[in-house]
Structure formats: structure tokens, C-alpha cells
Amino acid sequence: MSDPVPVTTLPPAVVVDRLTRNFGTFTAVDQVSFNVSPGEIFGFLGANGAGKTTTIRMLCGLLLPTSGNATVHGNDIYTQPNRIKACIGYMSQRFSLYEDLTVRENIQFYGGIYGLRRETIMQKTTELLQELDLVDKADQLTGALPLGWKQRLALSTSLLHDPPLLFLDEPTSGVDPQSRRRFWLLIHRLAAEGKTIFVTTHYMDEAEYCHRISIMAQGRLVELDTPSALRDKYDCDTMQEVFLRTVSGSPSL
Amino acid sequence: MNRVLISILRKEFMHIWRDPQTLLIILVWPVVMLLLFSYAITMEMRGIPTALCDLSETPASRHLVECITSSGFFELVAEDVTPSAYEELFQRQAARCLIVIPADYSGDFINYQLTPVQLLIDAADPNAAKFIQNYLGSILWRVSSNQSNGTLLTFSLSPRFLYNPDLESTYFFVPGLIAVILLLISALLTSIAIVREKEMGTLEQVLVSPARGYQIIIGKVVPYIILGFIDGVIVLAVGVYWFDVPLRGELWQVLLAMLLYISTGLSFGLLISTVARSQQTAMMLALMATILPTIMLSGFIFPVESMPLLFQWVSKIVPATHFLDIIRGIMLKGVGLGLLWQQTLYLVLLTLFLLIVSIYKFKTVTE
Amino acid sequence: MLHHNNQQTGHRELPPTPAVGSAGSGAATSQPALLAEGVSRSWGDLPVLIDISLQVASGEIYGLVGPDGAGKTTLIRILVSLLLADSGRVLLHGHDTRLERQYVRRHVGYMPQRFSLYPDLTVEQNLRFFGDLYAVSREEQLERCNRLYRFSHLAEFRQRRAGHLSGGMKQKLALSCVLMHAPEVILLDEPTVGVDPVSRRELWDILHELRQEGTAILVSTPYMEEAEQCDRVGLINAGKFLAEDTPEQLVANLQVRILRLRTTDPWATWQRLLEAGLGLQVQLFGEGIHLTLAADENQVEVEARLRQAGISFQQLYPVKPGMEDLFLARLQQVEAVSSEVITDV
């Protein structure tokens, strides 16, 4: 199979070079290196506690590395965290929406903290509500929405400032198959528009939707390739099997 | 204008509106406190259950008893108590004191016959015991001076109570309560509001945006400054209009002092929120670091001068001590902030110090 | 011993025969361990559950699947008597849960969506605490702890604080806590959400082991490959059962044939399939695309239509539909019906 990674001459969206983070004596991320191309959907897999979230937090400028380097859209994670924050969207596995605010208020708040103009926020709010089919729920408290809606709303709010790069940390956790497909439809549309997507997931069928997959185990990057290449390498039919092969060799932490 | 700041502010106000229970408590609670302090905890005793042992049984002694009971402070619950039987009365808590009039009591003060009237007091509650001693002392002093027409005493003490001639305890409590409530709102609520977002995980979403640390902090605290200020004004208004606490100084100076003091509380709250990981911790820290010292060490209830030396020093650090000086000064004595510049300066410096420390600690990047 | 392969085949034999004797009270053999009859519940004016009936036998794993907001959590909370139904009744080994709540509490294990362990207690202290809560004797606690460690592979972490466990281990510990009082019926609300595939498999190994021992298990899950491991599955939507049967029978009842299309770029192909409007149900499945054929269509004809539309692919072959196909197909049917209703109006 041919490589589905978008071919591009642009500089990489993310460059990670021997990135390491210790917590006391525990090494959460151990000498991890990889590049992500613009417009790529980059899947980040691993067992719970393998170091995925720590890596993402470092790349988002929330956590300083112990050693190693990384740049996000050319911005250094040590010295330019604020420039990084302006060019990324971030959606975490935990709910990032305020449940006691309405759908509309959440959108307006996140538009506001990215410094968007009032008219822009108004316009984007209307657009988003229509796109998400939430017009009649706009003034409902976000806490009352079904999970799948919340997840898509959270994704949309992280896109308000039109960032070229998106970090999604287990965005579909606990979401039913139909909602997950809708969610991935959004992701692929974004990638087609040229956005870079960095995503973690525990659904192995979703891993197949990524251009390239990296697998982390105990803080180290153990695999990095296209889904088909990984399946060929391990001679497996599904990513589920690939994952179990690569990860179960080591005791889960 | 700063759009980021405005949207954080607006969101914080929404949180407050969406939680009407808490809002109601915040607005009603100060008034309830004020009523409690003013009506329930008055610093005087009436109808003290009293036992009497009149060994003299003369018109003079009966006159004395008459004077004691008619004062309203003492209520006779037992008469002709033998000195040996009083203990049982105290143990049953039927009486709090026993007055023994000696057999040789003549009421003859003119011939300067010293006749000791004995007073036995149940001092299990030392404060109450002191009250009883003072009440009886002043009654006896009045009786004797009436009879002697003042000729006997070479001098007499005639106190004049300034600034609070009727010794109204509300004069005293209202400023104190303002101090407690302002601190509670500003320190407790801000620290909880920030730590709650930490717990929910929403803070992370805000931190990952380009919003700066100072914008997040100001956006989170300003609503509570306003809320605290409203509370302060409520207590002030109830104090002045309902309890007739005088406001002799300038109103704007009182309000300014309140704002300054709220800022001090807020910087405390911020510091707490940078340390605390859970709402409970934040609450306990806020209570221990702000509320307790305010009530115990600021002179709100217990005069600073009566404390051991060590605590007197500690009370000099407690911001409420200085705020109480300021607000009592302005309200009761009518002095201006100019005279109280030392206390004011202290609050300003403390606030700046705490703010700098907490902004330094409130990093948007974790080390 | 745990057999990793049993999730593929081992338990797939047809309808569950209620397990014999092993599960506690003697009366249990003749009646289902858990029985719900005509359960309805509304939140205000909004009906959440409408006339739900189900039964779970001892030694059976019953899977509850459905879209978000379908009422799964509400149903489970009613089954464990944490929430009262507006009408209908729930029997646990023949005991009405509404009348005999103490009985229910003693014999049921319930793991809510967000099971809270005490993060400051160690693994062992957490287990002991839940043992104490159910007045399990000290000796028995020790025995059960050891057994649960065997299940969960948590033995080497017994002194670690629960707050320092990874997500997968936390869920295994949570399940272990629920099992400390050896309940005969356990209800698990999405126990594997946010758990990696390895830990998820370990968790399911535990469930299969419990099933072997005669425990009645009801579990809700958003993972369709987990639903396939259940003896019976109920598909719930908008408070009503859409279907309920063994996974095999459910899929067979669907009466559709699925063609799997393999291509180098499934997303682009999928987009083109949607745009081409071939009148086929197309769903993305990993690196392939599933085409659902109606009864009167066949592969040759579909292949011709694809070529005509200029859609290239590497392979097109029939596959056995799975639970995920079923889920998507049934919900699509429902949506089609409801949108028809709307257009009618």
C-alpha cells in the first residue's frame, strides 16, 4: 500500500528531539523523538500511563521537559510557550467545558480567551451552533448534553481561533460508535483543510484512521509508522493485534 | 479593552449567578451573623441567680439587699443559705454567687466601720465571675457613697465613656464583623473558585490558551472583590441604620479602607490557591490563615492588650488588627485615613507582597 | 487460570443456560438472578426509560449498548435500587428491590461510571475497606484479596496508593472492590472507558472467570467488540429496546450482507462513495469501508456500480457483519424512520 501521509515541502508542524520528563525518580517520557508533518493525522497510542499525556502537555507548553528539545510550528517549547498556545487547539480527555454554562456561553468564553473580536465570536457562535446541530440547545446548560455532543462541542471550541495544529487527548473516550464516526468525520475534514491533528485514542479502529501511528510503552516510543506498514510488520490483520503485540511484552504500569 | 480579561470576568460572574444557593448564603449570612452577635452575644448579664445569707437581719442590711435586687442584675433564688450549704447550690448550678452580709453589718459608713460583705462566686466561667464582681462592687460603692454623701472619700472616680457612651456592643461588633466577612469572602471564595477549576480540569484548558497569568488571576478575583464589597456595604448599612452605629468619619474613607482590606484578603486567597490541590485544603487553609486570627487575635472580641506578649506581636501581623484600627477610627472617632497612615501603609505593603508572591507562584507552565 | 483466547470463541455457545447451584441461594436456580418488568422512568416531562423488561441469568454476561443518552445509566441505577422507577418492578433472586433494599445491597455489586477509590489509601487498604463495609470477616477478606489479586494481577502493587495507579489498574481495583463481598449479581456501568486495550482485555478475562463461577453480570459498554463477548446483548435507544438477543442472532436477524472494500485511502474513497450516491449504506471501518447490501443486491452488481462511478479499490469481499455493523444499521433505521416522520409533518 502506498503511504497516505500528505506529501508536503512545508517544515514539520512538530519536531520532537530526545524529549524526556522525569517525575522524581520516575521517567514518564524517555528520550522520545519524532516529527509530525503539516496536515497529518498523527495517532499516539499506548497503555494507560505510558507517557502520552505527559508528552502532549509538554508540547502544549503546560509542562517543562527535563531534557530534550521540541518545537511546535517553529516555536521552542522552553522559550516560546505563549506563541505555541496561540497556534494550537487543545482538547483533553477530561471535560474541558463548563457544565454550569450554556452551550452558547461556553463558545463565547473560549472565543474570548483567545482574544477574538466580539463580532467574530458572534458570527462563529452562530456558525458552530448550526454546524453542530445545536441551535435549539444553544441556551441549555452544557452539563445536560449527551457525551457525544459535548465532545464535538469541545472540539469546536478548541477550533474557534482557527489553529493550524490540534492536540486531542482521548477525544472519543466513552463515546458510542455512531458519535465516534461523526467525530472522526470532523477530524478528517479538518485534516483535509490542512490542519495537523495529533490524537490519542484507545479505540484501535480509530488508529486505522490516522495517517501515521506511534505507540508508546513505558515512556518510550516503540513504534512509528503507517497503520498498514505496522500490520505488515507484525503480520496482523488489525491494529488491535499490533497494539497487543507491541505493548503486552512489557507489564502494564 | 482587554477582550480576554472581559470574557474571563463574564464567565466568572455566570458561575456566581448559576449557583444561587451559594449567592444567597453569601448575601444573607453576614446579616445573620450581625444579628446573632448583636442580640445573642451581648456582653452583659442580667438576672444572675443569687443566693443570700444575711446574718445581720437589720434594716440596713435589708436596704442593701433591696439595692442589690432592684438593680436588675441579681435575682435572689435562695435566702438564708447557710455558708455550708452554698456549695450544693453552685454544684446544681442553681446559683452563681452567694452574698454573705456579716452579723455586724450596720450600714454605718459615717463612723467608718469597715464591714466586709463577702461575695462567693462560681468562677467556672471566669468572664462571668468578673462581671458579677464588678456589678456588685459598683452597687456597694453607690450604696456607701449615697449614705456618706461622699464626705468620706477623698476622691471619687467618675468615668466618662468616650465614642461609645452607652457601651453599646454593636458599635464594637459591626466593624469587627465587617473585617471577618470581607476576609471570608475574599480569601475563602477566591481560593475555592480557583482550586475548583483545578479539580475540574477546566483550568488546564484555560492555561493552554494564550491568556496570561495576570489575566486569569484578575478575571477570577474581581468578581469576588465586588461580592465582598457588596457584603461589606450590607453589614455597614445594617449597622448604621438598624443598630445606629455612628459613622462620624467620611463614608468614602470607610469604603476605601474596605476595598484595600478586601485586596489583602484576595492576595491571601490567591496564595492559598497556588498551594492547595483540593477544595477542602483550600477551605481549611483559608479558615486557619485568615478567619481564626481575625476573630482571635485582632482585638475583634478579646482586647489585644490582655493577650500574652507573644500573641500581641502576632496580632500586629494580622491584617485585621490594622483594619479594625482604621475602621473603628473612622466610624467611631471620626478621624481620617491621614491619621491612620501607618495601618493603611501596612495593609498596602502586605497586599503587594502577597500578590507578588502568588503571581510568581501561579505559573502557567509547570516546572 | 485466565485464557486469553476465550474472548474470541469460548463463550460464544448459544443461549445461556442458568448456571447450576453455585450461585448462592437455592431458589436462584429456577428464576433469573435479575429480572426487570415494565420499568419506566421520567425526568420531569422527559421519559428516559419506557417499559423496559430484561432478565439476566446466573452465569450470564448481559451487555447493554446504545448511543449516549439512551438511558443505560438510568436503567442500571434503577436495577441496583439507587433510583426508583416510576412504574414496573425489579426482582433480584425473586426479592423485590423496592421492598428489600438491604437484601439487594448485600447481594449486588455495582460499579458506577466514575467509581471512586480512595486515592490516599493503598490497593490493599481499599479492598479491606470495602470488605469491612460489607462486614466480611478478616479471614475471608484475606482469602478474597488473594483471589482478586490473582484475577487482577495487582498483587505486586498491593502497597501502592490507589491514586498512583494507571487508569487500567484503577478500573481493575475498582472491580475488585465491588467483588469483595462476593456478590451474585454485578452491574458495571461502562467499566472500560478510557482503559487501554491490554487492560481492557484483562478486565474482560475477569468477567469471563466470574461468569464461569455462576455470577450474573450486566455490563454497559461503548465498545462493540466487548458487546460481542456477551452472552446476550440489549440495544437500547431513547429509553426503549431496539433489539435483544445473542450477538450472533442479533446480527443474523439484521438480514443484511456486508461487503468490505479495501483501498489505500479509505477516507477519500468514503467521501467519494457518499458523493456518488450509489444508494448504499457506507460506513468507515478502520482501514476499510463496509457497504451494506439490500436483499436484492449482489456483489457483482455493486462492483459494476462502483467501477461505473470511477471508484477504485483493491479488494471487495463479503464479511460477516459484527455488532458494530448492527449498531450502526439499527440506529440508522431508527433515524430514517424519525426523519420520515418529520418530513411527513
Side-chain angles (χ1 to χ4, degrees), chain A residues 73-94:
Chain A
H73 265 261
N75 303 306
D76 185 80
I77 57 169
Y78 290 96
T79 56
Q80 299 167 305
N82 281 318
R83 292 185 57 181
I84 290 178
K85 286 172 183 180
C87 70
I88 60 164
Y90 171 79
M91 179 188 158
S92 76
Q93 53 191 344
R94 295 210 272 172

Side-chain angles (χ1 to χ4, degrees), chain C residues 117-133 138 141 145 149 157-162 173 177 180:
Chain C
L117 297 157
Y118 296 93
D120 48 340
L121 298 187
T122 64
V123 168
E124 178 132 348
Q125 285 166 338
N126 266 292
L127 286 172
R128 290 293 185 112
F129 172 75
F130 280 92
D132 287 339
L133 216 56
R138 283 271 145 183
Q141 277 184 22
C145 279
Y149 286 147
F157 304 108
R158 61 172 67 184
Q159 297 306 334
R160 192 183 283 195
R161 291 190 182 183
L173 175 58
C177 288
M180 262 315 266

